[in-house]
Amino acid sequence: MACGAKGLGSPPARARRPAGEDVLSCSSIMGVRGLQGFVGSTCPHVCTVVNFRDLAERHRSKHPGCTPTVVVDAMCCLRYWYTPRSWICGGQWREYFSALQDFVQAFTAVGIQLTFFFDGTVEQDKRREWVKRRLKNNREIARIFHYIKSHREQPGRSMFFIPSGLAIFTRFALKTLGQETLCSLQEADYEVASYGLQNNCLGILGEDTDYLIYDTCPYFSISELCLESLETVMLCRETLCQSLGLNLADLPLLACLLGNDIIPEGMFESFRYKCLSSYTSVKENFDKKGNIILAVADHIAKVLRLYQGEKKLEEMLPLGPNKALFHRGVASYLLPGQKSPWFFQKPKGVITLEKEIVSMCTEPESKQEVPMCTEPESKQEVPINIDPAPKQEVPMCTHPKIKQKLPIATGLEFKGEALMRTNPEMQQEGPVDMEPEMRPQVTMVSDPDILKVAREHHVQAESYLVYNIMSSGEVECSNSLEDELDQALPSQAFVYRPVRQRVYALLLGHSTGGSSTCPAVKEWFVYSGNPLRHPDFVRPLPMNIPGGMPSLKLLWLNQEPGTQDRRLDTLLACFDLSSSREELQVVEGPFQGLCCILIYLFVQVDTLCLEDLHAFIAQALCLQGKSTVQLEDLQLDHIDPRAVQLGALLVRGLTTLVLVNSACGFPWRTGEFMPWNIFDGKLFHQKYLQSERGYAAEALVEQNGGGDDRDPAPIGRAWGTADLAKDSTGETRGQEIDNMSLTSGEDTHHPGATEPVPQKGQTPWPQQHRWTAETQGQPSMKVGQPFPSRGAVVHQGPLPLSPLAPMRGSRLRAPRPCTKRMSGVARAGVVSGMLPCCASSIFWRDWLSEGTSALSVLFEVL
């Protein structure tokens, strides 16, 4: 029996599958529509239980000196790998890292090498499917927040949603564990299948029925994997063909007629029902989808094959205007050197991977090992063929009235690249190309040296989005746990957009003379109210960098002394924190990135409060002294929906920092701001709940017996206002949101609030010295910046470091009841003022316990 037949939304396989449970019953698998359920219920003999230990021994006996290698589709495995019970609070990153370590060690112990592939781009042919899944995720997230508000607890595993940034940080976790980790330049499943075929791999580990269609090495199910015994299920495509009466070369046609990630399921719906109506061998004990697959396969074998060829196929299928899409769909399954009998062939150029696609075996004549179902003649070692996707034109942002779209470049991206190159001498038979000729790659940057470095970092999974920006000018970001019904906290897509805009200026160039010739970047970011019918066209923002904007060659290629300082200056300028450079430098390395994100958040989001800051800092400090077991055993009284959003917002800030750090030439070591070093979702949630209840600072950092002491009102908070900061279901946080703003307008007034009462040892704040700094209306507001309040004053000049010093450009006004709100300009001074006290964890604890009084008063006054 196989181990743990669980779906993508079910607990990971850790024990043997219960008797009577269907193999591969998951209905949400990617790939060919209906094929997963068909294989699990109608053709179970396609699935065979295998043991990786036995397969590895067999491989070594046949190929001495050749290390058995399993290529892993990492995106299919994220749900399997994420074993922590808590997933709602932002991610249990220490626990997750430990689970990855156990996974790698299980295969290493039996001598199996793992190579991991991650999706590096979304191809245009699959954009429709990408959007469809993101919108479905929105509905699932809405259900999650409804459950949290109703039950105040985490939903069951059936509603599991992977934490934000999981795929991004998994790359770096695996690299930290010493694993070969690659990021795809096109659709990842194509590169995985090509890699497996090219390198005589033991098999592919994933959960995508497309791997049943590719003619490549064996396909193993990650959802069926029992890690303790290393048993799983192998799905044999040769057995599938025997059951359907088809040849291996017919499977791509079958996949497109059934519908997949490229061909919409409804495109051939009428054709499938026509096949079903004429099918004479309908199985009464099979479901409707199973009979449809049998009927379509029967039609291919008995009817279409009689008139095989491109012309006849077009006449017999209802292609209409979708002919080009259909041909691309079938051709997407043809690996290098493979032909389709359904199309006429013609020569096509070949692109090869020299560093990434290398043979794992020293025997060039060795045949591909296919355990239990072998067809050696179909396995060839050939160069990888990168099928050119349809190139879209990128608009130039020269003048808003000009509607014409112009391409950015007309030449080849670059020639002679060491990592990936076009070889005109190597040509092969390939699928027919519907275009009259191959169009050159259109890139946003024309410097071949810079593109080469960007591509190398991309393929080696060392950067994030940088190459996508420079090559296609198009980026995307999936869903985050954000409550669309509570917009007191803006979406991370808007909060971090100014940072991305400055990165665009750095990577694509930006004129400082006022007129920009830099093209806009297409952003496919998920946020509330975005139907994703088209991308957002986002223009770069200029940066103020000491010494001017450095070139990418200087940041990426120059190793002279002083270059690292320029890199750091550029990174801080992307966050608009150049004035905080000296303060950040005295902070311990692991906390510099966290400080950077916190300062930026407090400037951008005016609904953040002192208790939020305490929770973020306290969890980072306490995390350093906790083991994985302690974090796993941590219990929460309840789940607060606002804290859920805050956790996701911070993690998205860390992914943004990965983008900025890689774009600036890595001024900071990437490992220092990985979440398993500075953030734990459940620990943050605990600190957030404690802070909202009025815990003293000493208790938050666990200096008093693990934080059991409570303070009825936190230091500096007005008496009677300890419960003003409710979660997203409370009315006290409800605010009128300007539809053009990311944040609220006027400060929220709480009639029941009173003036703060000085605590013991606290210096009273005379009323005549109270002041409020607010930003005044500006001619134009950039997306992501706090919306100004009416009748405010523009703050000019650097922010003061002392939290007690009024800011230049501020004005005094009569005192008013305390609120939880403060202006973005004031928040910058508050958070910057804390940095000199953060030179070490000890000082940081002292700041929380001793320096809170003045900061709390300032928060209340503002």
Side-chain angles (χ1 to χ4, degrees), residues 9 164 364 409 454 467 491 493 519 530 536 553 610 623 662 686 720 753 859:
S164 299
Y467 183 69
S491 171
N530 183 12
D536 295 330
K553 285 190 174 182
L610 179 63
L623 179 62
S662 54
Q686 182 193 63
F859 267 84

Side-chain angles (χ1 to χ4, degrees), residues 164-221:
S164 299
L166 191 69
I168 299 167
F169 293 122
T170 301
R171 305 178 192 176
F172 295 99
L174 291 171
K175 293 181 75 68
T176 301
L177 294 171
Q179 299 304 296
E180 180 77 6
T181 307
L182 304 174
C183 195
S184 70
L185 290 165
Q186 60 177 114
E187 190 63 30
D189 55 5
Y190 182 90
E191 292 197 15
V192 167
S194 299
Y195 189 97
L197 178 66
Q198 176 82 10
N199 292 281
N200 191 33
C201 288
L202 195 63
I204 295 170
L205 185 60
E207 205 69 36
D208 189 334
T209 49
D210 280 335
Y211 295 126
L212 265 177
I213 307 300
Y214 287 110
D215 187 5
T216 182
C217 58
Y219 163 39
F220 304 107
S221 170

Side-chain angles (χ1 to χ4, degrees), residues 148 188 196 214 224 293 309 320 333 381 383 451 471 543 602 613 620 648 721 750 773 780 810 825 836:
I148 295 174
Y214 287 110
E224 298 293 328
I293 293 177
Y333 290 109
E381 288 197 70
L451 281 173
S471 60
M543 288 188 292
F602 269 76
L613 179 62
T721 65
H750 299 291
S780 62
S810 65
V825 174

Side-chain angles (χ1 to χ4, degrees), residues 192-261:
V192 167
S194 299
Y195 189 97
L197 178 66
Q198 176 82 10
N199 292 281
N200 191 33
C201 288
L202 195 63
I204 295 170
L205 185 60
E207 205 69 36
D208 189 334
T209 49
D210 280 335
Y211 295 126
L212 265 177
I213 307 300
Y214 287 110
D215 187 5
T216 182
C217 58
Y219 163 39
F220 304 107
S221 170
I222 181 65
S223 68
E224 298 293 328
L225 176 64
C226 181
L227 197 59
E228 288 77 10
S229 63
L230 285 181
E231 284 186 351
T232 189
V233 165
M234 182 182 72
L235 294 90
C236 184
R237 62 185 63 87
E238 286 79 5
T239 305
L240 175 64
C241 287
Q242 294 174 5
S243 301
L244 298 176
L246 299 177
N247 299 322
L248 286 173
D250 298 329
L251 290 179
L253 177 60
L254 174 68
C256 291
L257 293 178
L258 295 177
N260 54 23
D261 293 344

